[in-house]
Protein backbone atom coordinates (compact mmCIF):
# COMPACT_ATOMS: atom_id res chain seq x y z
CA UNK A 1 0.00 0.00 0.00
CA UNK A 2 1.22 3.47 -0.86
CA UNK A 3 0.32 6.50 1.19
CA UNK A 4 0.92 10.19 0.84
CA UNK A 5 1.46 12.04 4.10
CA UNK A 6 1.16 15.84 4.05
CA UNK A 7 2.54 17.63 7.11
CA UNK A 8 1.68 21.30 7.54
CA UNK A 9 2.09 23.83 10.30
CA UNK A 10 -1.04 24.33 12.40
CA UNK A 11 -2.95 27.54 11.65
CA UNK A 12 -1.55 30.34 13.79
CA UNK A 13 1.98 28.94 13.86
CA UNK A 14 4.41 31.35 12.21
CA UNK A 15 5.81 30.08 8.91
CA UNK A 16 9.03 32.00 8.12
CA UNK A 17 9.84 29.65 5.22
CA UNK A 18 6.48 30.42 3.62
CA UNK A 19 7.05 34.14 4.12
CA UNK A 20 10.48 33.87 2.50
CA UNK A 21 8.89 32.22 -0.55
CA UNK A 22 6.26 34.99 -0.71
CA UNK A 23 8.96 37.67 -0.66
CA UNK A 24 10.98 35.84 -3.30
CA UNK A 25 7.90 35.59 -5.54
CA UNK A 26 7.36 39.33 -5.08
CA UNK A 27 10.98 40.02 -6.02
CA UNK A 28 10.47 37.97 -9.21
CA UNK A 29 7.56 40.19 -10.19
CA UNK A 30 4.63 37.98 -9.16
CA UNK A 31 1.94 40.23 -7.74
CA UNK A 32 -1.18 39.35 -5.82
CA UNK A 33 0.30 36.57 -3.68
CA UNK A 34 -1.66 36.92 -0.44
CA UNK A 35 0.09 34.22 1.54
CA UNK A 36 2.29 31.15 1.19
CA UNK A 37 2.49 28.22 3.59
CA UNK A 38 5.15 25.56 3.25
CA UNK A 39 4.85 21.96 4.38
CA UNK A 40 6.32 18.51 3.83
CA UNK A 41 5.08 15.69 1.65
CA UNK A 42 6.20 12.14 2.37
CA UNK A 43 5.32 9.14 0.22
CA UNK A 44 5.36 5.83 2.07
CA UNK A 45 5.44 2.47 0.29
CA UNK A 46 4.39 -0.11 2.89
CA UNK A 47 4.57 -3.90 2.55
CA UNK A 48 1.32 -4.30 4.54
CA UNK A 49 -1.58 -5.17 2.21
CA UNK A 50 -4.50 -4.65 4.59
CA UNK A 51 -5.58 -1.00 3.99
CA UNK A 52 -6.81 -0.57 7.56
CA UNK A 53 -3.59 -1.84 9.15
CA UNK A 54 -1.42 0.03 6.66
CA UNK A 55 -3.17 3.34 7.29
CA UNK A 56 -2.97 2.80 11.06
CA UNK A 57 0.78 2.16 10.69
CA UNK A 58 1.19 5.32 8.58
CA UNK A 59 -0.62 7.36 11.24
CA UNK A 60 1.57 5.92 13.97
CA UNK A 61 4.65 6.86 11.92
CA UNK A 62 3.33 10.42 11.75
CA UNK A 63 2.74 10.59 15.50
CA UNK A 64 6.16 9.15 16.36
CA UNK A 65 8.46 10.59 13.71
CA UNK A 66 7.08 12.40 10.68
CA UNK A 67 5.15 15.23 12.34
CA UNK A 68 5.75 17.34 15.42
CA UNK A 69 2.16 17.28 16.64
CA UNK A 70 2.73 20.24 18.96
CA UNK A 71 2.99 22.62 16.01
CA UNK A 72 2.12 20.50 12.99
CA UNK A 73 -0.86 18.59 11.69
CA UNK A 74 -0.81 15.74 9.22
CA UNK A 75 -3.06 14.19 6.66
CA UNK A 76 -2.72 10.62 5.36
CA UNK A 77 -4.22 9.61 2.02
CA UNK A 78 -3.84 6.47 -0.10
CA UNK A 79 -2.31 6.91 -3.56
CA UNK B 1 -7.86 31.25 -5.45
CA UNK B 2 -5.91 28.79 -3.35
CA UNK B 3 -3.61 26.21 -4.83
CA UNK B 4 -1.60 23.35 -3.44
CA UNK B 5 1.70 22.73 -5.18
CA UNK B 6 3.42 19.41 -4.56
CA UNK B 7 7.06 19.22 -5.62
CA UNK B 8 8.71 15.78 -5.74
CA UNK B 9 11.98 14.44 -7.03
CA UNK B 10 11.72 12.86 -10.46
CA UNK B 11 11.76 9.05 -10.48
CA UNK B 12 15.35 7.85 -10.63
CA UNK B 13 16.77 10.83 -8.74
CA UNK B 14 18.38 9.71 -5.48
CA UNK B 15 16.48 10.82 -2.38
CA UNK B 16 18.86 10.69 0.63
CA UNK B 17 16.32 12.48 2.85
CA UNK B 18 13.71 9.81 2.09
CA UNK B 19 16.26 7.08 2.81
CA UNK B 20 17.11 8.73 6.13
CA UNK B 21 13.42 8.68 7.08
CA UNK B 22 13.18 5.00 6.11
CA UNK B 23 16.15 4.14 8.30
CA UNK B 24 14.75 6.17 11.20
CA UNK B 25 11.41 4.37 10.89
CA UNK B 26 13.25 1.04 10.96
CA UNK B 27 15.15 2.11 14.08
CA UNK B 28 11.81 2.94 15.72
CA UNK B 29 10.61 -0.62 15.08
CA UNK B 30 8.42 -0.03 12.01
CA UNK B 31 8.88 -2.99 9.70
CA UNK B 32 7.79 -3.45 6.12
CA UNK B 33 8.61 0.04 4.88
CA UNK B 34 9.68 -0.58 1.30
CA UNK B 35 10.57 2.96 0.38
CA UNK B 36 10.10 6.58 1.40
CA UNK B 37 10.23 9.63 -0.87
CA UNK B 38 10.23 13.14 0.51
CA UNK B 39 8.91 16.22 -1.23
CA UNK B 40 7.67 19.74 -0.60
CA UNK B 41 4.14 21.02 -0.31
CA UNK B 42 3.44 24.72 -0.88
CA UNK B 43 0.04 26.34 -0.42
CA UNK B 44 -0.46 29.52 -2.45
CA UNK B 45 -3.22 32.02 -1.74
CA UNK B 46 -3.52 34.16 -4.86
CA UNK B 47 -5.56 37.36 -5.26
CA UNK B 48 -6.41 36.43 -8.88
CA UNK B 49 -10.03 35.21 -9.13
CA UNK B 50 -9.97 33.79 -12.66
CA UNK B 51 -9.13 30.06 -12.16
CA UNK B 52 -7.38 29.80 -15.53
CA UNK B 53 -5.13 32.83 -14.96
CA UNK B 54 -4.47 31.86 -11.34
CA UNK B 55 -3.43 28.32 -12.25
CA UNK B 56 -1.21 29.63 -15.04
CA UNK B 57 0.43 32.00 -12.53
CA UNK B 58 0.94 29.14 -10.06
CA UNK B 59 2.60 27.03 -12.77
CA UNK B 60 4.87 29.92 -13.73
CA UNK B 61 5.88 30.28 -10.06
CA UNK B 62 6.79 26.58 -10.06
CA UNK B 63 8.89 26.91 -13.20
CA UNK B 64 10.71 30.02 -11.99
CA UNK B 65 11.14 29.42 -8.26
CA UNK B 66 9.33 26.61 -6.49
CA UNK B 67 10.68 23.61 -8.38
CA UNK B 68 14.04 22.76 -9.89
CA UNK B 69 12.69 21.22 -13.07
CA UNK B 70 15.98 19.50 -13.86
CA UNK B 71 15.49 17.05 -11.00
CA UNK B 72 12.00 17.77 -9.70
CA UNK B 73 8.46 17.60 -11.02
CA UNK B 74 5.49 19.52 -9.69
CA UNK B 75 1.76 19.16 -9.50
CA UNK B 76 -0.66 22.07 -9.04
CA UNK B 77 -4.17 21.46 -7.70
CA UNK B 78 -6.88 23.87 -6.49
CA UNK B 79 -7.94 23.56 -2.83
Amino acid sequence: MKYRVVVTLKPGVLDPQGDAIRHALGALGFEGVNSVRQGKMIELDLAENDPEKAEAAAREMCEKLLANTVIERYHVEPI
Side-chain angles (χ1 to χ4, degrees), chain A:
Chain A
M1 300 284 304
K2 284 193 174 189
Y3 288 91
R4 168 178 290 175
V5 174
V6 176
V7 180
T8 48
L9 287 168
K10 286 182 178 173
V13 177
L14 284 179
D15 181 2
Q17 197 171 1
D19 284 342
I21 294 171
R22 190 167 58 85
H23 284 121
L25 287 171
L28 283 173
F30 290 104
E31 286 171 11
V33 181
N34 294 334
S35 78
V36 179
R37 303 280 286 174
Q38 151 107 47
K40 288 177 288 187
M41 195 284 301
I42 298 148
E43 279 180 11
L44 300 168
D45 182 354
L46 305 181
E48 178 65 58
N49 281 320
D50 179 336
E52 217 161 289
K53 283 188 195 169
E55 186 164 332
R59 289 188 179 280
E60 204 185 338
M61 290 173 196
C62 289
E63 292 285 339
K64 289 199 177 163
L65 181 73
L66 304 179
N68 174 357
T69 54
V70 176
I71 56 167
E72 293 172 326
R73 59 182 177 184
Y74 61 86
H75 175 73
V76 177
E77 61 194 35
I79 46 176

